[in-house]
Amino acid sequence: MDTHSPDQDDLSGVERLLSGWRPDAAGLNRDAMLFAAGLAVGKEGRGRLLWPALCGLLAVLTAASGIWGLKECAECQFLVSRLQERTRPAGLPPITSFAVAAVTSFRPSPDGYFNLRRRMEQDPSRWLASRESTGSAPPGPAPPEPAILKASQYEALFNQ
């Protein structure tokens, strides 16, 4: 507080005592004070128990979801083996791998993602220029203009 204020007479006795106090510069240690403040903040509140409890809960959930995933995988493998037993004729060895039959009726589009990517990987600098156009049919007549009021038409309404 400023000791030269014109309101010195308005101060109470306690305020006068406080305004005269000055800290002793000889006993101050800035690092010790900051360390003590950090310790005091660390000891406060529910946050001290909240974060370890939250981490423990997440660890339990992670373990439970891992166990559930392993159980589901084992159940899927069991169901696949049961299906193989039902569809396999007697006397054939068990199927250890799956073969995908090629579907001959499907022809991928030349403008499809995989064909374009293959072309780009083969010649990165010319893939777009060498692309053949599909030659779509020319569009028909232009659609009629929508009945939207334009600025010139708006003025014509007021000029009538």
Side-chain angles (χ1 to χ4, degrees):
M1 182 169 200
D2 189 13
T3 58
H4 302 295
S5 73
D7 300 329
Q8 264 310 339
D9 297 334
D10 293 342
L11 296 177
S12 68
V14 175
E15 289 174 336
R16 267 191 226 100
L17 281 174
L18 288 175
S19 69
W21 285 0
R22 299 285 178 255
D24 183 18
L28 292 179
N29 185 351
R30 181 177 53 123
D31 294 333
M33 180 188 64
L34 289 174
F35 180 76
L39 279 178
V41 167
K43 291 179 181 178
E44 289 180 7
R46 348 175 260 267
R48 186 173 176 193
L49 295 176
L50 175 71
W51 290 112
L54 184 63
C55 290
L57 177 67
L58 288 175
V60 167
L61 286 174
T62 302
S65 64
I67 291 169
W68 173 78
L70 289 174
K71 180 183 168 283
E72 288 294 318
C73 183
E75 187 175 330
C76 260
Q77 289 176 349
F78 173 72
L79 290 174
V80 165
S81 66
R82 293 266 321 259
L83 182 65
Q84 287 177 355
E85 288 172 6
R86 291 176 78 191
T87 59
R88 183 185 51 209
L92 288 178
I95 300 172
T96 57
S97 65
F98 292 101
V100 178
V103 179
T104 58
S105 64
F106 175 72
R107 294 231 173 237
S109 168
D111 293 330
Y113 171 76
F114 294 111
N115 285 331
L116 291 176
R117 182 176 172 124
R118 188 176 303 128
R119 276 190 237 145
M120 185 184 75
E121 287 173 350
Q122 289 170 355
D123 192 7
S125 60
R126 303 233 342 127
W127 73 275
L128 189 56
S130 65
R131 185 172 162 229
E132 298 172 9
S133 65
T134 56
S136 62
E145 250 187 76
I148 297 175
L149 193 60
K150 296 182 180 175
S152 60
Q153 295 170 341
Y154 187 67
E155 291 172 0
L157 288 175
F158 284 118
N159 292 336
Q160 290 179 2

